[in-house]
Amino acid sequence: MRLVVVGAAGRMGRMLIKAVAETGGCRLVGAIGREGSTALGQDAGVLAGTGPLGVSVTDDPLPVFAQADGVLDFTSPAATVSFAALAAQARIVHVVGTTGLQEADFTKLEAAARHARIVQSGNMSLGVNLLAGLVRKAAATLGEDFDIEVLEMHHRMKVDAPSGTALLLGEAAAEGRKISLKERSVRSRDGHTGARHPGDIGFATLRGGTVVGEHSVIFAGAGERLELSHRAEDRGLFARGAVKAALWGFDKKPGYYTMANVLGLDRL
Ligand SMILES: NC(=O)C1=CN([C@@H]2O[C@H](COP(=O)(O)OP(=O)(O)OC[C@H]3O[C@@H](n4cnc5c(N)ncnc54)[C@H](OP(=O)(O)O)[C@@H]3O)[C@@H](O)[C@H]2O)C=CC1
Ligand SMILES: O=C(O)C1=N[C@H](C(=O)O)C[C@H](O)C1
């Protein structure tokens, strides 16, 4: 499968280049950087530390997408929305790992999925997607007597909060409870907040150091507490998940898919 990595100079971009180079059946055919980036013109393999791959980083995605079967995208919401339109034009697979997407962005991705095969997830790891299934089940089983709080910690450079994974886990809990996350989520608390409303789903965000990604969903009841957690130890995990998603999407019809579809966890 011929793959393009966009955001090639980023933390995830470099991991993705390495994962493509190390996966049988895949070939890197393009690497896209932002206009003006110092990475432009560099060999993508050298940038990623794998040794030369004969693919130079460019800021012109159109001709590159035209020669590809799929694009791996961990960039920013605005960039992802514009790459989705190009992926739709080229009728290719678009794997979206970018987080911080807003409702209007999702609407645009869904429109692009009429022609592209979009696989989008706030977390591409097997562990987190399995965790989401367990959270859904726990939320359905425990009911409103148990307060749900989602806690996450990431490195100091992360720009969005709550993390895409925290929101994915919050959605799973809301599905289990058969409530709307949008209506029941509490994203921050400060000052005299009053007592907790039964049935709310709370989020707490920690940022610091080099933490790759840690998430816990806490079910706090009267006299007992259940905690379901995941710790990512290496970004390569997400990159390998993204390559797996691209390979899975290769022979699928245009549409909007998630990592749960890729991993066969959608009925969990
Ligand atoms: N779903 C998942 O499993 C995971 C998701 N993520 C998400 O992936 C995203 C990226 O994370 P991370 O790699 O740490 O962030 P970085 O900031 O290190 O990387 C983002 C890269 O995208 C580039 N970029 C932004 N806009 C454009 C554009 N228009 N054209 C080309 N390149 C562009 C940036 O360029 P420049 O530096 O020049 O601005 C940068 O190199 C985040 O949203 C993060 O939350 C991260 C890990 C796992
Ligand atoms: O920005 C990151 O680093 C990560 N982002 C994703 C998120 O927002 O959940 C996934 C992972 O936790 C790392």
Side-chain angles (χ1 to χ4, degrees), residues 5-18 48 74:
V5 171
V6 294
R11 276 177 292 275
M12 279 305 299
R14 281 171 281 147
M15 286 288 170
L16 290 161
I17 292 166
K18 191 162 176 281
F74 290 59

Side-chain angles (χ1 to χ4, degrees), residues 7 10-12 33-34 74-75 79 97 99 121-124 158 238:
R11 276 177 292 275
M12 279 305 299
R34 196 205 280 277
F74 290 59
T75 56
T99 57
S121 179
N123 197 301
M124 300 284 171
K158 185 160 177 64
F238 310 127

Side-chain angles (χ1 to χ4, degrees), residues 29-197:
V29 294
I32 308 298
R34 196 205 280 277
E35 205 183 315
S37 162
T38 51
L40 298 182
Q42 281 191 52
D43 185 282
V46 173
L47 188 66
T50 64
L53 292 171
V55 174
S56 298
V57 180
T58 162
D59 60 2
D60 186 6
L62 202 58
V64 178
F65 281 30
Q67 310 271 310
D69 302 305
V71 53
L72 308 176
D73 178 353
F74 290 59
T75 56
S76 65
T80 291
V81 164
S82 69
F83 289 132
L86 296 181
Q89 219 173 302
R91 307 284 201 264
I92 60 179
V93 178
H94 185 192
V95 178
V96 176
T98 306
T99 57
L101 297 161
Q102 304 300 309
E103 232 170 88
D105 301 322
F106 282 112
T107 304
K108 287 176 189 156
L109 294 188
E110 274 155 22
R114 286 201 284 269
H115 301 296
R117 286 146 279 160
I118 294 187
V119 185
Q120 182 272 328
S121 179
N123 197 301
M124 300 284 171
S125 77
L126 171 62
V128 159
N129 285 280
L130 175 59
L131 177 64
L134 300 176
V135 166
R136 193 177 303 114
K137 188 91 183 155
T141 307
L142 294 173
E144 275 201 7
D145 285 353
F146 282 76
D147 300 324
I148 303 178
E149 295 283 315
V150 184
L151 173 66
E152 55 115 332
M153 181 161 188
H154 284 87
H155 53 95
R156 61 167 72 102
M157 301 306 289
K158 185 160 177 64
V159 295
D160 56 308
S163 70
T165 309
L167 293 171
L168 181 158
L169 295 171
E171 277 296 351
E175 278 166 33
R177 284 261 168 101
K178 297 191 170 33
I179 57 171
S180 150
L181 181 64
K182 201 170 136 193
E183 285 164 20
R184 305 305 294 274
S185 75
V186 176
R187 299 260 192 127
S188 65
R189 297 185 180 103
D190 187 24
H192 188 86
T193 60
R196 194 183 196 285
H197 290 130

